[in-house]
Amino acid sequence: MINTRAYAALKAGSPLVPFTLERRACGPRDVVLDVKFSGICHSDIHQARDEWGGAAFPMVPGHEIVGVVSAVGKKVKRFRVGDHAGVGCMVDSCRKCSNCRHDEEQFCEQGAAFTYNSTEMDRKTPTQGGYSTRMVVNEDFVLKLSKKMPLDRAAPLLCAGITTYSPLKRFGAKKGKVVGVVGLGGLGHMAVKIAAAMGATVVVFSTSPSKEKDARRLGARTFVLSSNAEAMQKLAGKIDLIIDTVSAPHDVNAYLGLLKIDGTMVLVGVPTEPAAVHAFSLIGGRKKLAGSLIGGIAETQEMLDFCAKKKVLSDVEVISASQVNEAYERTIRGDVKYRFVIDASTF
Ligand code: NAP
Ligand code: ZN
Ligand code: ZN
């Protein structure tokens, strides 16, 4: 067993505290990752506070995990000691169902083994996440990182990156298309950078006037304060694809009205309350309201390679482990530019 320092929530909503856990010994197909940085996703906060229900404690959150490979099992082919690597939201899946065979492990019919607040595929062993010094993960669920990417700025790609890359690609973000991004937080700022790197014209919708300058620096052509009814009205029927990253209840009808005919709005944010959708918002213009959950492992590797090639990285604030509770509060207030990343040497 591998003794590992970590930070955990011991019960729903309690502050995270230092914690130790035992990782399994390195199996023949396992990779041991010495974690260097771990991003703070808003999903960590939702789950540590049990806002979606059914959370299991103690919980070590964290699914934006990057580090250096420190050991590999005898049968591991794709990794060597010293490689830079990452782990995202999943650590295993059944590998046999139709979705797994089509590289959509996030939709495994048996339920994937998510990185924390879940179990291994034995359905008994709880999984614990990346706010820790070490991960032990089957090589099929470990991602390769170019050594050209600074690890701290690459960490958020493992969730915020793939969660926005996947729907942008699937729903056709490219040159000549107008893409709206709702909410300029961790996911939102990656959506802006990736959509711009795909060649799309990007419009940011935000509740925060202070983010206008950053939105443009990150790659947006237009910034709209969502409370400005006149500015919203000007864009009615002008947008091909909207990626909605908002973590709190808000009116989706206001954005559906901005889509062109046959346009699509994709929900990736998961507010705690259901959204009310008026049928008229969809039927006038044959619009589609869709959802998207992270991405499969192959697509995550494709996204990392795309970001390495296009020099797309996250804007991060690196913190020590003792600042994690304050970082949660600041994330909820929208006061982060644009992702907190924990320095794992401080766990
Ligand atoms: P985040 O950094 O907190 O960003 C959320 C942004 O939403 C904020 O920066 C803010 O942007 C906007 N916002 C917050 N409260 C709002 C409100 N009351 N009304 C309108 N806008 C508001 O969070 P994140 O890490 O990007 O995650 C966003 C959501 O995606 C979370 O719900 C998370 O659980 C979910 N998520 C989903 C997936 C998936 O696979 N589908 C993966 C990861 C995360 P402005 O200041 O610009 O308005
Ligand atoms: Zn996440
Ligand atoms: Zn499966």
Side-chain angles (χ1 to χ4, degrees):
M1 302 292 261
I2 301 175
N3 196 267
T4 304
R5 294 192 311 279
Y7 257 57
L10 301 182
K11 59 183 175 47
S14 69
L16 275 70
V17 292
F19 185 74
T20 48
L21 64 110
E22 299 283 338
R23 299 283 185 200
R24 66 170 180 261
C26 181
R29 296 215 50 217
D30 283 339
V31 169
V32 181
L33 188 68
D34 279 2
V35 180
K36 297 296 177 197
F37 296 97
S38 197
I40 296 180
C41 177
H42 207 118
S43 300
D44 299 345
I45 305 174
H46 289 307
Q47 292 177 88
R49 298 185 175 187
D50 199 13
E51 291 172 354
W52 295 336
F57 295 91
M59 180 194 297
V60 177
H63 57 207
E64 293 183 337
I65 309 159
V66 294
V68 179
V69 173
S70 60
V72 293
K74 278 195 197 94
K75 295 193 172 159
V76 167
K77 295 200 180 81
R78 295 173 45 245
F79 292 92
R80 286 192 193 165
V81 170
D83 284 353
H84 285 189
V87 176
C89 300
M90 297 178 282
V91 290
D92 206 354
S93 72
C94 87
R95 298 141 186 263
K96 294 187 191 108
C97 74
S98 165
N99 294 340
C100 283
R101 282 188 281 109
H102 290 93
D103 294 325
E104 306 266 34
E105 301 88 352
Q106 73 277 30
F107 304 126
C108 174
E109 288 168 14
Q110 292 190 26
F114 290 96
T115 303
Y116 68 88
N117 192 22
S118 177
T119 63
E120 298 285 356
M121 294 311 287
D122 65 8
R123 296 298 174 224
K124 286 186 209 133
T125 314
T127 55
Q128 296 290 11
Y131 297 5
S132 63
T133 50
R134 279 200 191 89
M135 296 293 293
V136 180
V137 178
N138 184 290
E139 71 165 326
D140 295 340
F141 284 77
V142 181
L143 288 309
K144 281 181 177 287
L145 287 174
S146 158
K147 282 198 175 163
K148 288 187 186 145
M149 298 172 113
L151 285 172
D152 53 348
R153 298 190 63 198
L157 301 179
L158 275 302
C159 176
I162 183 59
T163 301
T164 51
Y165 177 90
S166 181
L168 283 166
K169 191 174 170 210
R170 182 163 305 271
F171 296 101
K174 59 183 177 202
K175 198 170 180 330
K177 299 286 178 185
V178 181
V179 172
V181 175
V182 188
L184 196 62
L187 265 56
H189 95 291
M190 288 313 310
V192 172
K193 289 185 182 214
I194 293 171
M198 289 174 171
T201 302
V202 182
V203 182
V204 165
F205 298 94
S206 173
T207 59
S208 309
S210 62
K211 294 182 181 173
E212 174 159 8
K213 210 169 143 201
D214 281 342
R216 293 184 198 282
R217 176 180 56 79
L218 296 166
R221 172 83 59 84
T222 311
F223 176 90
V224 177
L225 200 58
S226 47
S227 56
N228 181 340
E230 204 181 321
M232 292 286 282
Q233 186 52 38
K234 266 195 195 150
L235 288 170
K238 298 263 165 44
I239 300 188
D240 293 286
L241 169 64
I242 295 176
I243 308 290
D244 182 342
T245 74
V246 175
S247 52
H250 60 290
D251 179 22
V252 298
N253 300 285
Y255 296 101
L256 289 167
L258 308 185
L259 290 173
K260 289 182 187 170
I261 289 176
D262 289 323
T264 304
M265 174 162 173
V266 187
L267 304 181
V268 293
V270 190
T272 45
E273 303 297 322
V277 181
H278 203 294
F280 276 127
S281 303
L282 293 169
I283 63 180
R286 211 164 39 215
K287 290 158 186 173
K288 296 183 279 290
L289 182 61
S292 191
L293 177 70
I294 48 174
I297 293 296
E299 192 177 33
T300 305
Q301 189 63 61
E302 177 188 302
M303 175 276 309
L304 289 168
D305 298 344
F306 172 89
C307 289
K309 189 167 150 218
K310 300 273 186 180
K311 298 190 168 58
V312 171
L313 289 160
S314 179
D315 283 23
V316 298
E317 293 188 46
V318 178
I319 59 166
S320 61
S322 60
Q323 293 171 287
V324 64
N325 295 301
E326 184 196 337
Y328 274 23
E329 294 304 326
R330 283 186 53 197
T331 301
I332 292 164
R333 289 201 302 271
D335 175 23
V336 48
K337 299 212 162 164
Y338 275 86
R339 196 59 134 187
F340 286 115
V341 167
I342 311 166
D343 176 348
S345 69
T346 62
F347 284 122

